[in-house]
Coordinates of all heavy atoms in Angstrom, one line a residue:
M1 N 34.7 -75.1 -178.4 CA 36.0 -74.8 -177.9 C 36.4 -75.8 -176.9 O 35.7 -76.1 -176.0 CB 36.0 -73.4 -177.3 CG 37.4 -72.9 -176.9 SD 37.6 -71.1 -176.7 CE 36.5 -70.7 -175.4
T2 N 37.6 -76.5 -177.1 CA 38.1 -77.5 -176.2 C 39.1 -76.9 -175.2 O 39.9 -76.0 -175.6 CB 38.8 -78.6 -177.0 OG1 38.0 -79.0 -178.1 CG2 39.2 -79.7 -176.2
E3 N 39.0 -77.3 -174.0 CA 39.9 -76.8 -172.9 C 40.5 -77.9 -172.1 O 39.8 -78.8 -171.7 CB 39.2 -75.8 -172.1 CG 40.1 -75.1 -171.1 CD 39.5 -74.0 -170.3 OE1 38.6 -73.3 -170.8 OE2 39.8 -73.9 -169.1
T4 N 41.8 -77.8 -171.9 CA 42.5 -78.8 -171.0 C 43.5 -78.0 -170.2 O 44.1 -77.0 -170.7 CB 43.3 -79.8 -171.9 OG1 42.5 -80.4 -172.8 CG2 44.0 -80.8 -171.0
T5 N 43.5 -78.3 -168.9 CA 44.5 -77.6 -168.0 C 45.5 -78.6 -167.5 O 45.1 -79.7 -167.0 CB 43.8 -76.9 -166.8 OG1 42.8 -76.0 -167.3 CG2 44.8 -76.3 -165.9
V6 N 46.8 -78.3 -167.6 CA 47.8 -79.2 -167.1 C 48.6 -78.4 -166.1 O 48.6 -77.1 -166.1 CB 48.8 -79.7 -168.2 CG1 48.0 -80.6 -169.2 CG2 49.4 -78.5 -169.0
H7 N 49.2 -79.1 -165.2 CA 50.0 -78.5 -164.1 C 51.5 -78.9 -164.4 O 51.8 -80.0 -164.5 CB 49.6 -79.0 -162.7 CG 48.1 -78.8 -162.5 ND1 47.5 -77.6 -162.3 CD2 47.1 -79.7 -162.6 CE1 46.2 -77.8 -162.2 NE2 45.9 -79.0 -162.4
E8 N 52.3 -77.8 -164.4 CA 53.8 -78.1 -164.6 C 54.6 -77.2 -163.7 O 54.2 -76.1 -163.4 CB 54.2 -77.8 -166.1 CG 53.6 -78.7 -167.1 CD 54.1 -78.4 -168.5 OE1 55.2 -77.7 -168.6 OE2 53.5 -78.9 -169.4
A9 N 55.7 -77.8 -163.2 CA 56.5 -77.0 -162.3 C 57.9 -76.9 -162.9 O 58.4 -77.9 -163.6 CB 56.6 -77.7 -160.9
Y10 N 58.5 -75.8 -162.8 CA 59.9 -75.6 -163.3 C 60.8 -75.0 -162.2 O 60.3 -74.3 -161.3 CB 59.9 -74.6 -164.4 CG 59.1 -75.0 -165.6 CD1 57.8 -74.5 -165.9 CD2 59.7 -75.9 -166.6 CE1 57.1 -74.9 -167.0 CE2 58.9 -76.2 -167.7 CZ 57.7 -75.7 -167.9 OH 57.0 -76.1 -169.0
S11 N 62.0 -75.3 -162.3 CA 63.1 -74.7 -161.4 C 63.8 -73.7 -162.2 O 64.1 -73.9 -163.4 CB 64.0 -75.8 -160.9 OG 63.4 -76.7 -160.1
F12 N 64.2 -72.6 -161.6 CA 64.9 -71.6 -162.3 C 66.2 -71.2 -161.4 O 66.1 -71.2 -160.2 CB 64.1 -70.3 -162.4 CG 62.8 -70.5 -163.1 CD1 61.6 -70.9 -162.5 CD2 62.8 -70.2 -164.5 CE1 60.5 -71.1 -163.2 CE2 61.6 -70.4 -165.2 CZ 60.4 -70.8 -164.6
A13 N 67.2 -70.9 -162.1 CA 68.5 -70.5 -161.4 C 69.0 -69.3 -162.3 O 69.2 -69.4 -163.5 CB 69.5 -71.5 -161.3
C14 N 69.1 -68.1 -161.6 CA 69.6 -67.0 -162.3 C 71.1 -67.0 -162.4 O 71.8 -67.2 -161.4 CB 69.2 -65.7 -161.5 SG 69.8 -64.2 -162.3
M15 N 71.6 -66.9 -163.6 CA 73.1 -67.0 -163.9 C 73.7 -65.6 -163.6 O 74.9 -65.5 -163.7 CB 73.3 -67.4 -165.3 CG 72.8 -68.8 -165.7 SD 73.7 -70.1 -164.8 CE 72.5 -70.6 -163.5
N16 N 72.9 -64.6 -163.3 CA 73.4 -63.3 -163.0 C 73.7 -63.1 -161.5 O 74.8 -62.7 -161.2 CB 72.4 -62.2 -163.5 CG 73.0 -60.8 -163.4 OD1 74.1 -60.6 -163.8 ND2 72.2 -59.9 -162.9
C17 N 72.7 -63.5 -160.7 CA 72.9 -63.2 -159.3 C 72.9 -64.5 -158.4 O 73.1 -64.4 -157.2 CB 71.7 -62.3 -158.8 SG 70.1 -63.1 -158.7
G18 N 72.6 -65.6 -159.0 CA 72.6 -66.9 -158.3 C 71.3 -67.3 -157.6 O 71.3 -68.3 -156.9
Y19 N 70.3 -66.4 -157.7 CA 69.0 -66.7 -157.0 C 68.3 -67.9 -157.7 O 68.4 -68.1 -158.9 CB 68.1 -65.5 -157.1 CG 66.8 -65.6 -156.4 CD1 66.7 -65.6 -155.0 CD2 65.6 -65.7 -157.1 CE1 65.5 -65.7 -154.4 CE2 64.4 -65.8 -156.5 CZ 64.4 -65.8 -155.1 OH 63.1 -65.9 -154.5
G20 N 67.8 -68.8 -156.9 CA 67.1 -70.0 -157.4 C 65.7 -70.1 -156.8 O 65.4 -69.7 -155.7
W21 N 64.7 -70.6 -157.6 CA 63.4 -70.7 -157.2 C 62.6 -71.7 -158.0 O 63.1 -72.1 -159.1 CB 62.6 -69.4 -157.1 CG 62.3 -68.8 -158.5 CD1 61.0 -68.9 -159.1 CD2 63.1 -68.1 -159.4 NE1 61.1 -68.3 -160.3 CE2 62.3 -67.8 -160.5 CE3 64.4 -67.8 -159.4 CZ2 62.9 -67.1 -161.6 CZ3 65.0 -67.1 -160.5 CH2 64.2 -66.8 -161.6
E22 N 61.5 -72.1 -157.5 CA 60.6 -73.0 -158.3 C 59.2 -72.4 -158.4 O 58.8 -71.6 -157.5 CB 60.5 -74.4 -157.6 CG 61.8 -75.2 -157.6 CD 61.6 -76.7 -157.3 OE1 60.4 -77.1 -157.4 OE2 62.6 -77.3 -157.0
Q23 N 58.6 -72.7 -159.5 CA 57.2 -72.2 -159.7 C 56.4 -73.2 -160.3 O 56.8 -73.9 -161.3 CB 57.3 -70.9 -160.6 CG 55.9 -70.3 -160.8 CD 55.3 -69.7 -159.6 OE1 55.9 -68.9 -158.9 NE2 54.1 -70.1 -159.2
T24 N 55.1 -73.4 -159.9 CA 54.2 -74.3 -160.5 C 53.2 -73.4 -161.3 O 52.8 -72.3 -160.9 CB 53.4 -75.0 -159.4 OG1 54.3 -75.8 -158.6 CG2 52.4 -76.0 -160.0
Y25 N 52.9 -74.0 -162.5 CA 52.0 -73.3 -163.4 C 50.8 -74.1 -163.7 O 50.9 -75.3 -163.8 CB 52.7 -72.9 -164.7 CG 53.9 -72.0 -164.5 CD1 55.1 -72.5 -164.3 CD2 53.7 -70.6 -164.6 CE1 56.2 -71.6 -164.1 CE2 54.8 -69.8 -164.5 CZ 56.0 -70.3 -164.2 OH 57.1 -69.4 -164.0
D26 N 49.6 -73.5 -163.8 CA 48.4 -74.1 -164.4 C 48.4 -73.6 -165.9 O 48.4 -72.4 -166.1 CB 47.2 -73.6 -163.7 CG 47.1 -74.1 -162.3 OD1 47.5 -75.3 -162.0 OD2 46.6 -73.4 -161.4
I27 N 48.5 -74.5 -166.8 CA 48.6 -74.1 -168.2 C 47.3 -74.6 -168.9 O 47.0 -75.7 -169.0 CB 49.8 -74.8 -168.8 CG1 51.1 -74.4 -168.0 CG2 50.0 -74.3 -170.3 CD1 52.3 -75.2 -168.4
E28 N 46.6 -73.6 -169.4 CA 45.3 -73.8 -170.1 C 45.6 -73.9 -171.6 O 46.1 -73.0 -172.2 CB 44.3 -72.7 -169.8 CG 43.8 -72.6 -168.4 CD 42.9 -71.5 -168.1 OE1 42.6 -70.7 -169.1 OE2 42.4 -71.4 -167.0
H29 N 45.2 -75.0 -172.1 CA 45.3 -75.2 -173.6 C 43.8 -75.2 -174.1 O 43.0 -76.0 -173.7 CB 45.9 -76.6 -173.9 CG 47.3 -76.7 -173.5 ND1 48.4 -76.5 -174.3 CD2 47.9 -77.0 -172.3 CE1 49.5 -76.6 -173.7 NE2 49.2 -77.0 -172.4
R30 N 43.6 -74.2 -175.0 CA 42.3 -74.1 -175.6 C 42.4 -74.0 -177.1 O 43.4 -73.6 -177.6 CB 41.5 -72.9 -175.0 CG 41.2 -73.0 -173.6 CD 40.6 -71.7 -173.1 NE 41.6 -70.7 -173.0 CZ 41.5 -69.4 -172.9 NH1 40.3 -68.9 -173.0 NH2 42.5 -68.6 -172.8
T31 N 41.3 -74.2 -177.8 CA 41.2 -73.9 -179.2 C 40.3 -72.7 -179.4 O 39.1 -72.7 -178.9 CB 40.7 -75.1 -179.9 OG1 41.5 -76.3 -179.7 CG2 40.6 -74.9 -181.4
G32 N 40.8 -71.7 -180.0 CA 40.0 -70.5 -180.2 C 38.9 -70.6 -181.2 O 38.9 -71.7 -181.9
P33 N 38.1 -69.7 -181.4 CA 37.0 -69.7 -182.4 C 37.5 -69.9 -183.8 O 36.8 -70.4 -184.7 CB 36.3 -68.4 -182.2 CG 36.8 -67.8 -181.0 CD 38.0 -68.5 -180.6
D34 N 38.8 -69.4 -184.0 CA 39.3 -69.5 -185.4 C 40.1 -70.8 -185.6 O 40.7 -71.0 -186.6 CB 40.3 -68.3 -185.6 CG 41.4 -68.3 -184.6 OD1 41.5 -69.1 -183.7 OD2 42.2 -67.3 -184.7
G35 N 40.0 -71.7 -184.5 CA 40.7 -73.0 -184.6 C 42.2 -73.0 -184.2 O 42.8 -74.1 -184.2
K36 N 42.7 -71.8 -183.9 CA 44.1 -71.8 -183.5 C 44.2 -72.1 -182.0 O 43.3 -71.7 -181.2 CB 44.7 -70.4 -183.8 CG 44.8 -70.1 -185.2 CD 45.4 -68.7 -185.5 CE 45.5 -68.4 -187.0 NZ 46.0 -67.1 -187.2
P37 N 45.4 -72.7 -181.6 CA 45.5 -73.0 -180.2 C 45.8 -71.7 -179.4 O 46.5 -70.8 -179.8 CB 46.8 -73.9 -180.1 CG 47.5 -73.7 -181.4 CD 46.4 -73.2 -182.4
L38 N 45.2 -71.7 -178.2 CA 45.4 -70.6 -177.2 C 46.0 -71.2 -176.0 O 45.4 -72.1 -175.4 CB 44.1 -69.8 -176.9 CG 43.4 -69.2 -178.1 CD1 42.0 -68.7 -177.6 CD2 44.2 -68.0 -178.6
I39 N 47.2 -70.7 -175.5 CA 47.8 -71.3 -174.3 C 47.9 -70.1 -173.3 O 48.5 -69.1 -173.6 CB 49.1 -71.9 -174.6 CG1 49.0 -73.0 -175.6 CG2 49.8 -72.4 -173.3 CD1 50.3 -73.6 -176.2
T40 N 47.4 -70.3 -172.1 CA 47.4 -69.3 -171.1 C 48.1 -69.9 -169.8 O 47.8 -71.0 -169.4 CB 46.0 -68.9 -170.7 OG1 45.3 -68.5 -171.9 CG2 46.0 -67.7 -169.7
Y41 N 49.1 -69.2 -169.3 CA 49.8 -69.6 -168.1 C 49.3 -68.9 -166.9 O 49.0 -67.6 -166.9 CB 51.3 -69.3 -168.2 CG 52.0 -70.2 -169.2 CD1 51.9 -70.0 -170.6 CD2 52.8 -71.3 -168.8 CE1 52.6 -70.8 -171.5 CE2 53.4 -72.1 -169.6 CZ 53.3 -71.9 -171.0 OH 53.9 -72.7 -171.9
W42 N 49.1 -69.6 -165.8 CA 48.7 -69.0 -164.5 C 49.6 -69.5 -163.4 O 50.0 -70.6 -163.4 CB 47.3 -69.5 -164.2 CG 46.2 -69.1 -165.2 CD1 45.9 -69.7 -166.3 CD2 45.4 -68.0 -165.1 NE1 44.9 -69.1 -167.0 CE2 44.6 -68.0 -166.2 CE3 45.2 -66.9 -164.2 CZ2 43.6 -67.0 -166.5 CZ3 44.3 -66.0 -164.4 CH2 43.5 -66.0 -165.5
A43 N 50.0 -68.5 -162.5 CA 50.8 -68.9 -161.4 C 50.3 -68.1 -160.2 O 50.0 -66.9 -160.3 CB 52.3 -68.5 -161.6
D44 N 50.0 -68.8 -159.1 CA 49.5 -68.2 -157.9 C 48.2 -67.4 -158.1 O 48.0 -66.3 -157.6 CB 50.6 -67.3 -157.2 CG 51.8 -68.0 -156.9 OD1 51.7 -69.2 -156.4 OD2 52.9 -67.5 -157.0
G45 N 47.4 -67.9 -159.0 CA 46.1 -67.3 -159.3 C 46.2 -66.1 -160.2 O 45.1 -65.5 -160.5
R46 N 47.3 -65.8 -160.8 CA 47.5 -64.6 -161.7 C 47.9 -65.1 -163.1 O 48.7 -66.1 -163.2 CB 48.6 -63.7 -161.2 CG 48.3 -63.0 -159.9 CD 49.5 -62.0 -159.5 NE 50.7 -62.3 -160.2 CZ 51.8 -62.8 -159.6 NH1 51.8 -63.1 -158.3 NH2 52.9 -63.0 -160.3
R47 N 47.4 -64.5 -164.1 CA 47.8 -64.8 -165.4 C 49.2 -64.2 -165.6 O 49.5 -63.1 -165.3 CB 46.9 -64.1 -166.4 CG 47.2 -64.5 -167.8 CD 46.2 -64.0 -168.8 NE 46.6 -64.4 -170.2 CZ 45.9 -64.2 -171.2 NH1 44.7 -63.6 -171.1 NH2 46.3 -64.5 -172.4
V48 N 50.1 -65.1 -166.1 CA 51.5 -64.7 -166.3 C 52.0 -65.0 -167.7 O 51.4 -65.9 -168.4 CB 52.4 -65.4 -165.3 CG1 52.1 -64.9 -163.9 CG2 52.3 -66.9 -165.4
P49 N 53.1 -64.4 -168.2 CA 53.6 -64.8 -169.5 C 54.2 -66.2 -169.4 O 54.6 -66.7 -168.3 CB 54.6 -63.7 -169.8 CG 54.9 -63.0 -168.5 CD 53.8 -63.3 -167.6
S50 N 54.4 -66.8 -170.5 CA 55.1 -68.1 -170.5 C 56.5 -68.0 -169.9 O 57.2 -67.1 -170.2 CB 55.2 -68.7 -171.9 OG 56.1 -69.8 -172.0
P51 N 56.8 -68.9 -169.0 CA 58.1 -68.8 -168.3 C 59.2 -69.3 -169.3 O 60.4 -69.1 -169.0 CB 58.0 -69.8 -167.2 CG 57.0 -70.8 -167.6 CD 56.0 -70.0 -168.5
L52 N 58.9 -69.8 -170.4 CA 59.9 -70.3 -171.4 C 60.2 -69.3 -172.4 O 61.2 -69.5 -173.1 CB 59.3 -71.6 -172.0 CG 58.9 -72.7 -171.0 CD1 58.4 -73.9 -171.8 CD2 60.1 -73.1 -170.1
T53 N 59.5 -68.2 -172.6 CA 59.7 -67.3 -173.7 C 60.7 -66.1 -173.2 O 61.6 -65.8 -174.0 CB 58.4 -66.7 -174.2 OG1 57.7 -66.1 -173.2 CG2 57.6 -67.7 -174.9
H54 N 60.5 -65.6 -172.1 CA 61.3 -64.5 -171.6 C 61.3 -64.4 -170.1 O 60.7 -63.5 -169.5 CB 60.8 -63.1 -172.2 CG 61.8 -62.0 -172.1 ND1 63.1 -62.0 -172.5 CD2 61.6 -60.8 -171.5 CE1 63.6 -60.9 -172.3 NE2 62.8 -60.1 -171.7
P55 N 61.8 -65.4 -169.4 CA 61.8 -65.4 -168.0 C 62.6 -64.3 -167.4 O 63.6 -63.8 -167.9 CB 62.4 -66.8 -167.6 CG 63.3 -67.1 -168.8 CD 62.6 -66.5 -170.0
T56 N 62.2 -63.9 -166.2 CA 62.8 -62.8 -165.5 C 63.1 -63.2 -164.0 O 62.2 -63.7 -163.4 CB 61.9 -61.5 -165.5 OG1 61.6 -61.1 -166.8 CG2 62.6 -60.3 -164.8
C57 N 64.3 -62.9 -163.5 CA 64.6 -63.2 -162.1 C 63.9 -62.2 -161.2 O 64.0 -61.0 -161.4 CB 66.1 -63.1 -162.0 SG 66.7 -63.3 -160.2
P58 N 63.2 -62.7 -160.2 CA 62.5 -61.8 -159.3 C 63.4 -61.1 -158.4 O 63.0 -60.1 -157.7 CB 61.5 -62.7 -158.6 CG 62.1 -64.1 -158.7 CD 62.9 -64.1 -160.0
N59 N 64.7 -61.6 -158.3 CA 65.6 -61.0 -157.4 C 66.4 -59.8 -158.0 O 66.5 -58.7 -157.5 CB 66.6 -62.0 -156.9 CG 67.6 -61.5 -155.8 OD1 67.1 -61.0 -154.8 ND2 68.8 -61.6 -156.1
C60 N 66.9 -60.0 -159.3 CA 67.7 -58.9 -159.9 C 67.1 -58.5 -161.2 O 67.7 -57.6 -161.9 CB 69.1 -59.4 -160.1 SG 69.3 -60.6 -161.5
E61 N 66.0 -59.1 -161.6 CA 65.3 -58.7 -162.9 C 66.1 -59.1 -164.1 O 65.9 -58.6 -165.2 CB 64.8 -57.3 -162.9 CG 63.8 -57.0 -161.8 CD 63.2 -55.6 -161.9 OE1 63.6 -54.9 -162.9 OE2 62.4 -55.3 -161.1
G62 N 67.1 -59.9 -163.9 CA 67.9 -60.4 -165.1 C 67.2 -61.4 -165.9 O 66.2 -62.0 -165.5
H63 N 67.7 -61.7 -167.1 CA 67.0 -62.6 -168.0 C 67.9 -63.8 -168.4 O 67.5 -64.6 -169.2 CB 66.6 -61.9 -169.3 CG 65.6 -60.8 -169.0 ND1 64.3 -61.0 -168.6 CD2 65.8 -59.5 -169.0 CE1 63.7 -59.9 -168.4 NE2 64.5 -58.9 -168.6
K64 N 69.1 -63.9 -167.8 CA 70.0 -65.0 -168.1 C 69.7 -66.1 -167.0 O 70.3 -66.2 -166.0 CB 71.5 -64.6 -168.0 CG 72.4 -65.6 -168.5 CD 73.8 -65.1 -168.5 CE 74.8 -66.2 -169.0 NZ 76.2 -65.7 -168.9
L65 N 68.7 -67.0 -167.4 CA 68.3 -68.0 -166.4 C 68.5 -69.4 -167.0 O 68.4 -69.6 -168.2 CB 66.8 -67.8 -166.1 CG 66.3 -66.4 -165.6 CD1 64.9 -66.4 -165.4 CD2 67.1 -66.1 -164.3
R66 N 68.7 -70.3 -166.1 CA 68.7 -71.7 -166.4 C 67.3 -72.2 -166.0 O 66.9 -72.1 -164.8 CB 69.8 -72.4 -165.7 CG 69.9 -73.9 -166.0 CD 71.2 -74.5 -165.5 NE 71.2 -75.9 -165.9 CZ 72.0 -76.7 -165.3 NH1 72.9 -76.4 -164.4 NH2 71.9 -78.0 -165.7
I67 N 66.6 -72.9 -166.9 CA 65.3 -73.5 -166.6 C 65.5 -75.0 -166.6 O 66.0 -75.6 -167.5 CB 64.3 -73.0 -167.6 CG1 64.2 -71.5 -167.7 CG2 62.9 -73.6 -167.3 CD1 63.4 -71.0 -168.8
M68 N 65.0 -75.6 -165.5 CA 65.1 -77.1 -165.3 C 63.8 -77.7 -164.9 O 62.9 -76.9 -164.5 CB 66.2 -77.3 -164.3 CG 67.6 -76.7 -164.6 SD 68.5 -76.3 -163.1 CE 67.6 -74.9 -162.5
R69 N 63.7 -79.0 -164.8 CA 62.6 -79.6 -164.3 C 62.5 -79.3 -162.8 O 63.6 -79.0 -162.2 CB 62.6 -81.1 -164.6 CG 63.6 -81.9 -163.9 CD 63.6 -83.4 -164.2 NE 64.5 -84.2 -163.5 CZ 65.7 -84.4 -163.8 NH1 66.2 -83.9 -164.9 NH2 66.5 -85.1 -163.1
S70 N 61.4 -79.4 -162.2 CA 61.3 -79.1 -160.7 C 62.2 -80.0 -159.9 O 62.5 -81.1 -160.3 CB 59.8 -79.2 -160.3 OG 59.4 -80.6 -160.4
G71 N 62.6 -79.4 -158.8 CA 63.5 -80.2 -157.8 C 64.9 -80.0 -158.1 O 65.8 -80.6 -157.4
R72 N 65.3 -79.1 -159.0 CA 66.8 -79.0 -159.4 C 67.4 -77.7 -158.9 O 68.5 -77.4 -159.2 CB 66.9 -79.1 -160.9 CG 66.4 -80.3 -161.5 CD 67.2 -81.5 -161.2 NE 68.6 -81.2 -161.7 CZ 69.5 -82.0 -161.9 NH1 69.3 -83.3 -161.7 NH2 70.7 -81.7 -162.3
V73 N 66.7 -76.8 -158.1 CA 67.2 -75.5 -157.7 C 68.5 -75.7 -156.9 O 69.5 -75.0 -157.2 CB 66.1 -74.7 -157.0 CG1 66.8 -73.5 -156.3 CG2 65.0 -74.3 -157.9
A74 N 68.5 -76.5 -155.9 CA 69.7 -76.6 -155.0 C 70.9 -77.0 -155.8 O 72.0 -76.4 -155.6 CB 69.4 -77.5 -153.9
T75 N 70.8 -77.9 -156.7 CA 71.9 -78.4 -157.5 C 72.5 -77.3 -158.4 O 73.7 -77.1 -158.4 CB 71.5 -79.6 -158.4 OG1 71.0 -80.6 -157.5 CG2 72.7 -80.1 -159.2
A76 N 71.6 -76.5 -159.0 CA 72.0 -75.5 -159.9 C 72.6 -74.3 -159.2 O 73.7 -73.8 -159.6 CB 70.9 -75.0 -160.8
V77 N 72.0 -73.9 -158.1 CA 72.6 -72.8 -157.3 C 73.9 -73.2 -156.7 O 74.8 -72.4 -156.7 CB 71.6 -72.4 -156.2 CG1 72.2 -71.4 -155.2 CG2 70.3 -71.7 -156.8
D78 N 74.0 -74.4 -156.2 CA 75.3 -74.8 -155.6 C 76.4 -74.8 -156.7 O 77.5 -74.4 -156.5 CB 75.2 -76.3 -155.1 CG 76.4 -76.7 -154.4 OD1 76.9 -76.0 -153.5 OD2 77.0 -77.8 -154.7
A79 N 76.1 -75.3 -157.9 CA 77.1 -75.3 -159.0 C 77.4 -73.8 -159.4 O 78.6 -73.5 -159.6 CB 76.5 -76.0 -160.2
W80 N 76.5 -72.9 -159.3 CA 76.8 -71.5 -159.7 C 77.7 -70.9 -158.6 O 78.6 -70.2 -158.9 CB 75.5 -70.7 -159.8 CG 75.7 -69.3 -160.1 CD1 75.8 -68.8 -161.4 CD2 75.8 -68.2 -159.3 NE1 76.0 -67.4 -161.3 CE2 76.0 -67.0 -160.0 CE3 75.8 -68.0 -157.9 CZ2 76.2 -65.8 -159.5 CZ3 75.9 -66.8 -157.3 CH2 76.1 -65.7 -158.1
Q81 N 77.4 -71.2 -157.3 CA 78.2 -70.6 -156.3 C 79.6 -71.1 -156.2 O 80.5 -70.4 -155.8 CB 77.5 -70.9 -154.9 CG 76.2 -70.0 -154.8 CD 75.4 -70.4 -153.6 OE1 75.7 -71.4 -152.9 NE2 74.5 -69.5 -153.2
H82 N 79.9 -72.3 -156.7 CA 81.2 -72.9 -156.8 C 81.9 -72.7 -158.1 O 82.9 -73.3 -158.4 CB 81.2 -74.4 -156.4 CG 80.8 -74.5 -154.9 ND1 79.5 -74.8 -154.5 CD2 81.5 -74.4 -153.8 CE1 79.5 -74.9 -153.2 NE2 80.6 -74.6 -152.7
H83 N 81.3 -71.9 -158.9 CA 81.8 -71.6 -160.3 C 83.0 -70.7 -160.3 O 83.2 -69.8 -159.6 CB 80.6 -71.0 -161.1 CG 81.0 -70.6 -162.5 ND1 81.5 -71.4 -163.4 CD2 80.9 -69.3 -163.0 CE1 81.7 -70.7 -164.5 NE2 81.3 -69.4 -164.3

């Protein structure tokens, strides 16, 4: 079984309430015993679901989010507030 861990950070902006945040993930890429890829996401030492499949706003629990590369929260939140 092969294992590789990569670190990725994403910025999120909720289009429902305007809350913005960034999160860094440790993403483990492994090959399972059956040869299929297994991808596990970790954030703050906890296993979490992929932020790209069904992200949830920690402020309002909404799912209408804008996902960007890290460092973009302020720009997105500012644009939302002046919308």
Side-chain angles (χ1 to χ4, degrees):
M1 186 160 64
T2 307
E3 183 174 323
T4 305
T5 301
V6 295
H7 308 283
E8 292 186 16
Y10 297 101
S11 294
F12 301 88
C14 181
M15 299 292 105
N16 186 46
C17 71
Y19 183 72
W21 72 100
E22 291 198 16
Q23 180 67 57
T24 301
Y25 296 89
D26 294 322
I27 306 167
E28 293 178 356
H29 295 264
R30 293 177 286 161
T31 303
D34 58 0
K36 293 182 182 180
L38 299 171
I39 301 172
T40 307
Y41 287 79
W42 298 84
D44 301 322
R46 295 184 338 255
R47 185 176 178 172
V48 296
S50 167
L52 306 177
T53 55
H54 192 57
T56 302
C57 175
N59 188 54
C60 73
E61 297 186 2
H63 299 291
K64 188 176 179 184
L65 303 180
R66 182 169 179 196
I67 303 171
M68 303 151 287
R69 68 180 186 272
S70 65
R72 302 288 302 197
V73 169
T75 303
V77 170
D78 186 55
W80 182 85
Q81 290 174 344
H82 292 99
H83 173 58

